[in-house]
Amino acid sequence: ASASWDETVKLWDLSGEKPVEKGTLRGHDCPVLSVAYSPDGKFVASASGDVNESEGTNCIKIWNVKTMEEKCTLTGHSDYVRSV
């Protein structure tokens, strides 16, 4: 997975000779600064400094890798979340 200043996370398939993009996760309102897979590979966490009153600010989003849907948003940090 890769994090981007364009507010997205890209998922990649590295099983072949060349990397193939599997999809793009959208939902952050600020650049995505960090991503990490869960130990079982079923989820990806993405860190950002989102400013969204309904979901909170400076959040971590948890994504289901298989469905590419957001599972939940973790909030509570007082500044940008720079790493997960």
Side-chain angles (χ1 to χ4, degrees), residues 18-33:
K18 292 184 177 183
V20 175
E21 183 182 331
K22 290 174 55 177
T24 302
L25 307 178
R26 291 181 170 83
H28 284 287
D29 295 323
C30 282
V32 180
L33 304 174

Side-chain angles (χ1 to χ4, degrees), residues 1-3 9 28 32-39 43-49 58-63 72-75 77 79-84:
S2 57
V9 173
H28 284 287
V32 180
L33 304 174
S34 178
V35 293
Y37 276 93
S38 63
F43 299 97
V44 168
S46 56
S48 181
N58 308 310
C59 67
I60 299 163
K61 291 187 179 285
I62 308 297
W63 306 87
C72 64
T73 299
L74 309 175
T75 61
H77 289 280
D79 202 349
Y80 281 74
V81 180
R82 291 175 174 84
S83 183
V84 288

Side-chain angles (χ1 to χ4, degrees), residues 6-23:
D6 69 2
E7 304 172 4
T8 68
V9 173
K10 297 256 186 210
L11 300 181
W12 302 91
D13 180 353
L14 304 177
S15 62
E17 288 188 29
K18 292 184 177 183
V20 175
E21 183 182 331
K22 290 174 55 177

